[in-house]
Amino acid sequence: MARPKPALRTTASITTAVVLLAGAALGAAPAATAAPSTAPAGTTAQGLTFHDIPGSGGITLKGNVFTPAGAAAGAKHPLIVFPTSWAMPQIEYLAQAQKLADSGYVVVSYTSRGFWLSGGKIEVAGPPDIADASAVIDWALEHTSADPDRIGMGGVSYGAGISLLAAGHDPRVKAVAALSGWADLIDSIYSGRTQHLQAAALLGGAGLVTGRPGDELTRTLKDFLGSNLEKEPEMIAWGKKRSPATYLDRINANGAAIMMGNAWGDTIFPPNQYASFYDKLTGPKRLEFRPGDHATAEATGLLGLPNDTWTSTRRWFDRYLKGERNGIDTEPPVQLKPRTDKDYEGYPDWKSVGAVKNRIPLDGTRKVWANVDSGANGGIAILSNALDQFLKLPPTVSVPLLPRTFASVWQSERYATAQRIRGTSALHTTVTSTKPSGTLVAYLYDVGPLGVGRLVSNAPYTFHGQTPGRPFPVDLELYSTAYDVPAGHRLALVIDTVDPLYIEHNPTGAQLTFSSPGTDPSHLSVPLREK
């Protein structure tokens, strides 16, 4: 299927994509030479030893080791392996590794293949990366005081994904802490059949600067950002091979205790796919969601500062690698921190989150012209949701001033009491397009008395192969969140066709009509916490 004629996008989005594709065309960047990664193998600085660790396929991984101080000769200690995040060097986890070693762990961290001074090329958590994790465990068991019966893995982002994948391929892994990671790569950067432009560009650009992308990655990125629909099945297969959800049966069979943490506003790996994966795990498990964007919830902990995520991580490893009865396994396993509150809420499972549904009817017929950004958007990757996390400043818009030519708007009544949104809002509507392909983006806003809307959630949806003029149903889950709407405010659903976060597929001159047939009324289902 040929890619439809691209519509105008914002200058920033075009520039980002062009820079990434230009870099890919010029070839892989040379490995960087950061001073902290060049310590000779086996040298020690402040109790830290640096090593060349044999990876799979004959490559060398740059790693470091922390061991407990004053350990008795011959004593065995639980092992934790940390693969680095995307584009990060081996010093990423020094602060947390030191704390874990001080409490009795052997901690091995290594730069993932293809990045910095580690050998090989970037495989995006492909089979060579999974084999590397097992190779590092082999090396640690031979060269450190690691206990073969007490092995854990963890990490942030890329390290989280590799750790989850390793739990499905290496039964020696008994506990995992997967922070700001992914369970389904396709549902992360291709949700709603829509390319997440800024997410892919950030990852691809960082890979070019700090590593050596493999041929498969370069080709896949080119097809992905170029909207080559003929290659869509191959891209989906590529992503599934790198998704822990694909290996769910193996992960459950191996039985590792898995803790997963993520941010509500993660623009790289949105929370929905983590929650769905968590539901299907059968072993010991814990799910934590907090305000922020990709890896911002863990960032202060990587600097050695007090951090809730890393506190939970240490408690999780203590329980399932040391056997300590610290209570983490008796707490409600789903822990949520709302974006508008400082207190955590505990739930017995994900389905108990947002058990009450508020159904907002989407009456009438709305028609919009595509190809123009109405002003409603999801913000800027990493930045906007970090501002929400630290300053309570989410993306905002004046709902009364949104141009109805380019945006459809529905609003609820004003609420007499606060509405505590918890979980995943779901849109159901009927769409008629003048073209076979198109993209729409739905936004949920908290609207105050002056009409200023604060973004609660959003999500994109793309269709191909529809018959022009023929209505078709659309069901779209918005990104999960926890947000309190104050009394006196209302909710607004806005749908437009352009957002700088995503690649859109609206041919020039396209129009979308949203209707609500009597036999299949359109609505938005908003999940609320029970009183």
Side-chain angles (χ1 to χ4, degrees):
M1 179 184 295
R3 192 254 192 262
K5 181 179 179 181
L8 292 176
R9 301 182 178 86
T10 65
T11 302
S13 298
I14 295 174
T15 302
T16 304
V18 168
V19 168
L20 175 56
L21 290 174
L26 290 173
T33 53
S37 297
T38 59
T43 61
T44 303
Q46 298 179 346
L48 166 66
T49 57
F50 292 83
H51 300 269
D52 289 343
I53 302 175
S56 65
I59 72 161
T60 296
L61 301 169
K62 294 295 182 177
N64 58 67
V65 178
F66 278 98
T67 53
K76 293 293 184 180
H77 303 91
L79 167 68
I80 297 175
V81 175
F82 283 138
T84 56
S85 302
W86 186 269
M88 293 295 288
Q90 58 167 302
I91 60 172
E92 176 183 11
Y93 301 109
L94 290 188
Q96 292 301 323
Q98 179 68 73
K99 291 181 179 182
L100 287 163
D102 289 344
S103 65
Y105 292 92
V106 172
V107 185
V108 179
S109 178
Y110 67 94
T111 304
S112 299
R113 71 163 50 219
F115 290 103
W116 297 90
L117 296 180
S118 281
K121 294 188 176 182
I122 302 172
E123 302 290 345
V124 196
D129 291 293
I130 301 170
D132 284 345
S134 292
V136 171
I137 292 173
D138 291 341
W139 180 89
L141 292 176
E142 182 178 354
H143 293 89
T144 74
S145 59
D147 185 341
D149 296 322
R150 295 185 292 167
I151 298 173
M153 286 193 66
V156 177
S157 186
Y158 198 45
I162 292 174
S163 296
L164 283 174
L165 287 162
H169 289 79
D170 194 327
R172 295 176 296 179
V173 177
K174 304 303 182 185
V176 170
L179 313 177
S180 288
W182 77 93
D184 189 325
L185 193 58
I186 298 301
D187 200 30
S188 294
I189 62 173
Y190 195 48
S191 68
R193 206 180 178 187
T194 307
Q195 297 100 319
H196 293 211
L197 173 63
Q198 291 185 21
L202 284 171
L203 293 173
L208 286 168
V209 171
T210 62
R212 301 165 301 283
D215 293 340
E216 191 175 14
L217 170 58
T218 300
R219 182 174 62 253
T220 301
L221 266 178
K222 181 179 179 181
D223 290 336
F224 183 80
L225 292 173
S227 301
N228 186 353
L229 293 179
E230 292 181 355
K231 297 292 184 179
E232 185 181 47
E234 294 179 26
M235 290 187 282
I236 290 175
W238 178 87
K240 286 188 177 297
K241 184 187 295 185
R242 291 157 170 81
S243 296
T246 301
Y247 310 100
L248 176 68
D249 290 344
R250 294 189 197 178
I251 292 172
N252 284 334
N254 289 344
I258 294 177
M259 187 192 97
M260 302 160 63
N262 205 351
W264 293 118
D266 195 319
T267 45
I268 308 293
F269 304 126
N272 302 44
Q273 45 93 30
Y274 244 24
S276 176
F277 181 72
Y278 170 85
D279 261 352
K280 300 178 180 67
L281 292 172
T282 58
K285 59 183 180 179
R286 183 177 176 92
L287 179 67
E288 300 185 352
F289 284 144
R290 299 177 176 84
D293 206 309
H294 185 63
T296 63
E298 299 84 22
T300 55
L302 291 174
L303 299 175
L305 300 175
N307 181 276
D308 290 351
T309 305
W310 286 104
T311 297
S312 293
T313 296
R314 289 194 295 275
R315 293 179 66 214
W316 191 254
F317 285 140
D318 287 347
R319 174 65 187 91
Y320 290 102
L321 295 182
K322 287 184 177 180
E324 293 183 2
R325 297 290 180 177
N326 56 20
I328 195 168
D329 56 328
T330 62
E331 298 168 358
V334 176
Q335 294 286 322
L336 310 182
K337 186 174 184 179
R339 290 163 50 197
T340 45
D341 199 343
K342 296 181 180 179
D343 295 328
Y344 284 87
E345 301 171 356
Y347 298 84
D349 47 42
W350 179 250
K351 68 181 179 182
S352 299
V353 177
V356 177
K357 308 298 182 185
N358 176 25
R359 189 177 174 114
I360 300 175
L362 307 178
D363 297 329
T365 299
R366 309 281 198 279
K367 180 181 291 186
V368 298
W369 287 89
N371 313 117
V372 176
D373 190 339
S374 69
N377 63 68
I380 300 172
I382 308 298
L383 176 62
S384 295
N385 291 316
L387 290 175
D388 183 36
Q389 174 186 358
F390 296 110
L391 302 177
K392 306 300 182 189
L393 294 175
T396 59
V397 70
S398 174
V399 173
L401 297 181
L402 285 172
R404 269 41 175 188
T405 303
F406 308 116
S408 295
V409 180
W410 296 264
Q411 296 194 71
S412 71
E413 76 283 358
R414 295 191 186 278
Y415 295 110
T417 59
Q419 305 293 295
R420 296 184 291 180
I421 299 174
R422 301 290 185 272
T424 309
S425 296
L427 167 66
H428 173 75
T429 188
T430 295
V431 177
T432 305
S433 175
T434 60
K435 304 290 184 179
S437 296
T439 297
L440 59 93
V441 186
Y443 309 90
L444 182 61
Y445 286 102
D446 161 22
V447 184
L450 299 179
V452 175
R454 296 165 60 89
L455 186 65
V456 177
S457 184
N458 75 299
Y461 181 93
T462 293
F463 58 89
H464 298 290
Q466 293 294 335
T467 302
R470 177 180 296 175
F472 60 94
V474 167
D475 289 286
L476 174 63
E477 287 191 345
L478 277 62
Y479 300 137
S480 303
T481 193
Y483 183 99
D484 294 340
V485 179
H489 287 212
R490 67 176 76 203
L491 287 171
L493 177 72
V494 177
I495 302 179
D496 72 2
T497 62
V498 176
D499 191 309
L501 286 172
Y502 313 112
I503 291 178
E504 45 90 3
H505 295 258
N506 296 297
T508 301
Q511 297 179 60
L512 300 181
T513 299
F514 304 96
S515 58
S516 182
T519 56
D520 186 21
S522 297
H523 64 273
L524 179 72
S525 177
V526 180
L528 302 177
R529 182 184 177 187
E530 290 183 316
K531 303 294 184 184

